[in-house]
Structure formats: C-alpha cells, structure tokens
Amino acid sequence: MGHVTFKPQGVCSVQIDFDLEEGKIHDLKFQGGCNGNLKAIGRLVEGRDAKEIAGILRGNDCKGRGTSCADQFAQALEQATA
C-alpha cells in the first residue's frame, strides 16, 4: 500500500504516519500526544499485521473521550486496509 497519513480527531496527537507493506505496519510515528507512550506503541506494532493490531487497539479510551491515540490509529489502519 505504501505511506499513510491520518488526521486523528478528539485526541492530543495531530497526525499519524505509517507505512503498510503487505499488510504489515512499519515506521509508525505520531505528532503530538504522549511522546513516550506513542513511541512505545510504534515499537510494539512494528512488523505486525495491520488488521490484528486494529482489532487489539480499537475502542481504547483516554480520559473518557470515547477515543484515544491508539483508537485513532486503529481507525487509520481500518481505513487503510478496507
């Protein structure tokens, strides 16, 4: 698929960038948000299957917002793999 840029809604991060190659996630980067936590997510998902990760992260809530940076990433993955 190539490079994906996603503009999250309702969270602290303002942009999510990642690459998809044969359904696998690479080079995930968040702009804004909780830097350490979001870098950790990037390390944990590197090389993993996009659909599997979307299923794991979907619905994660931050501070009662009904979404989170992880949930927004799941939405980005779902859109990119649809």
Side-chain angles (χ1 to χ4, degrees):
M1 159 140 215
H3 186 77
V4 177
T5 297
F6 182 81
K7 299 288 185 185
Q9 302 293 311
V11 296
C12 297
S13 63
V14 295
Q15 185 169 305
I16 303 170
D17 289 284
F18 58 96
D19 294 322
L20 278 181
E21 295 175 21
E22 298 179 7
K24 308 291 184 194
I25 303 162
H26 298 283
D27 300 318
L28 172 63
K29 292 183 179 58
F30 289 83
Q31 291 183 18
C34 302
N35 189 39
N37 291 334
L38 297 175
K39 282 182 181 176
I41 290 173
R43 287 182 174 193
L44 290 168
V45 305
E46 180 65 28
R48 304 265 315 262
D49 181 76
K51 290 182 180 181
E52 175 190 7
I53 295 301
I56 292 169
L57 297 179
R58 186 68 144 125
N60 187 57
D61 183 71
C62 179
K63 299 181 182 178
R65 295 178 184 172
T67 191
S68 66
C69 292
D71 179 64
Q72 290 291 300
F73 176 47
Q75 292 180 41
L77 290 170
E78 289 169 349
Q79 286 181 18
T81 58

